[in-house]
Amino acid sequence: MFGGFDISLYICGVKQSMVMYSSRDIIEFIIVIVGEFAKRHGMSDTLAFRYLDKYAAISYLKNNYGIAHTLPFNDVVDSLSIYCKTRGGNV
């Protein structure tokens, strides 16, 4: 606290949201995105999940849910494809 003000809520002068998302919402979103990723790349949902998990994209998606869930699915799938490629993925 700094003068009654919690400075940790501010990063680079921008107040960070204290919104909490339900686990159910996050899980449902991840399921939908995995399905969209699978369709885009012509693979099963199981294979898509394993691929995304191998390259830490599931954690990335979970950690960035606050932004990701506001974007069109195609944009999220594009981002995950790039994210995985930067980590050695080839899909």
Side-chain angles (χ1 to χ4, degrees), residues 3 6 63 72 86:
D6 187 356
N63 293 335
T86 64

Side-chain angles (χ1 to χ4, degrees), residues 34-56:
V34 168
E36 292 298 315
F37 187 91
K39 277 192 256 182
R40 165 88 62 88
H41 296 290
M43 59 178 70
S44 70
D45 290 349
T46 301
L47 185 59
F49 179 85
R50 287 182 182 154
Y51 174 83
L52 292 169
D53 192 45
K54 177 179 180 177
Y55 294 104

